[in-house]
Amino acid sequence: MVEAFLRVASHTSFWIDLKDNFIAVALQKVQPKYSVDISFEQIRSITQVLSRIIDSKSQYTQQHSKELSEKVDVMARFYDYSDEERFKLIIAADLHDLGKLAVPNDILDSTGSLSEEEFSVIKEHTYYTRIALEQITGFEDIAEWAANHHEKLNGLGYPFGKSHKQLDFNSRLMGCLDIYQALTEERPYRRSLSHTEAMDILNDMCKNGFVDSNICKDIDVFFSNVHI
Ligand SMILES: [Fe+2]
C-alpha cells in the first residue's frame, strides 16, 4: 500500500485534487456511475435505520425521530395521503435531525442554559440536514419538509427565517409535530410534559403566530387519547 501511495502521490495532480477547491470534482470523477430504481417504501427501510443512529446520538433523543415518524404516519393516514406522499413524509421525519450528528454532545446534552454561541451551533443542524438531503435526486420535497422543521410562520424560526408563504403544509405539519414530540419527551433541563401541558404551549405558539393553528387542533384531537 505504501508503494502504491508513493507512486500516486508522486504526481502533482494528486495533491491539487486534495485541495478544498478541487476535491469535490476529483471525487466526482472516480465515483462509480450507476443508479437503481427503488420505491419510497423501500428507501424508508434504509432511513428507519438511519433514524436509529440519529436518535442514539443523545440519551435524551433515544425515541425522538422514531416516535415523530410514527406520529407523522398517523397524521398522513388521517389526511388521506397517497402511499408515496406518506412514505416521503415518514422519510423526512426519519432524517429531520440528521444534521445533529454534526453537533457536539456536550452542547446537545448540556443541563445548564446554553450560551448564545452554543445555541447558534445547535441552530446549524437543520442547515446540515438540508445540505445532506438536497444532493439526493428525488428528495427535493423530503429535503424541504425535513429541513424546515424549526422555521416558523412569523419568520422567527431558523436557519433561514422563512415566512408563512415559504412553508407548505407538510413543512408546517413536521414543525408542529416535532415541537409536540419534543415537549412530551424528557430533556436534560425538564421532565416530559403531558398531552395537555404540551398543547398549552403549542396553543400559545399558535396565538403568537409561530405555528399553524389548524394543524395544532388536529394534533390535539388525534393525540389526546392516543399514546404512541
Ligand atoms: Fe431539530
Side-chain angles (χ1 to χ4, degrees), residues 64 96-97 100 125-126 149-150 158 178:
H64 179 71
H96 77 292
D97 271 342
K100 276 205 180 154
H125 79 277
T126 44
H149 73 271
H150 288 297
Y158 64 83
D178 179 59

Side-chain angles (χ1 to χ4, degrees), residues 53-61 95-110 114-130 149-150 158-159 188:
I53 296 170
I54 298 163
D55 284 352
S56 307
K57 166 89 175 167
S58 161
Q59 67 177 107
Y60 297 100
T61 55
L95 301 178
H96 77 292
D97 271 342
L98 179 63
K100 276 205 180 154
L101 294 177
V103 178
N105 272 73
D106 52 355
I107 298 182
L108 284 181
D109 297 339
S110 169
L114 293 175
S115 68
E116 210 171 306
E117 200 177 320
E118 287 171 324
F119 193 49
S120 69
V121 174
I122 291 216
K123 283 176 165 179
E124 288 172 6
H125 79 277
T126 44
Y127 190 86
Y128 298 141
T129 296
R130 179 178 293 274
H149 73 271
H150 288 297
Y158 64 83

Side-chain angles (χ1 to χ4, degrees), residues 2-166:
V2 171
E3 273 171 28
F5 175 77
L6 289 175
R7 212 169 36 244
V8 178
S10 68
H11 301 292
T12 315
S13 63
F14 174 81
W15 297 103
I16 298 176
D17 280 348
L18 286 182
K19 290 188 178 182
D20 285 353
N21 288 351
F22 303 110
I23 192 151
V25 179
L27 284 173
Q28 228 167 33
K29 273 190 236 159
V30 295
Q31 251 171 9
K33 304 243 179 317
Y34 67 87
S35 62
V36 268
D37 277 336
I38 49 174
S39 68
F40 284 108
E41 186 173 357
Q42 288 169 303
I43 292 171
R44 203 280 149 139
S45 62
I46 302 167
T47 60
Q48 195 167 16
V49 178
L50 293 174
S51 87
R52 298 300 299 136
I53 296 170
I54 298 163
D55 284 352
S56 307
K57 166 89 175 167
S58 161
Q59 67 177 107
Y60 297 100
T61 55
Q62 292 288 312
Q63 304 291 324
H64 179 71
S65 309
K66 178 178 174 284
E67 291 188 2
L68 179 65
S69 299
E70 286 167 2
K71 289 186 173 66
V72 159
D73 188 10
V74 169
M75 296 297 282
R77 287 173 198 273
F78 170 63
Y79 292 129
D80 212 14
Y81 283 8
S82 66
D83 277 352
E84 179 169 305
E85 187 160 18
R86 183 167 59 84
F87 278 114
K88 279 166 74 174
L89 202 56
I90 293 171
I91 292 167
D94 279 344
L95 301 178
H96 77 292
D97 271 342
L98 179 63
K100 276 205 180 154
L101 294 177
V103 178
N105 272 73
D106 52 355
I107 298 182
L108 284 181
D109 297 339
S110 169
T111 46
S113 55
L114 293 175
S115 68
E116 210 171 306
E117 200 177 320
E118 287 171 324
F119 193 49
S120 69
V121 174
I122 291 216
K123 283 176 165 179
E124 288 172 6
H125 79 277
T126 44
Y127 190 86
Y128 298 141
T129 296
R130 179 178 293 274
I131 297 286
L133 299 182
E134 259 180 358
Q135 297 176 36
I136 305 169
T137 312
F139 263 42
E140 294 77 10
D141 289 339
I142 293 170
E144 202 63 34
W145 302 334
N148 283 341
H149 73 271
H150 288 297
E151 299 291 349
K152 299 286 184 284
L153 298 180
N154 58 9
L156 294 177
Y158 64 83
F160 291 104
K162 292 192 174 193
S163 74
H164 64 105
K165 286 188 194 136
Q166 296 167 291

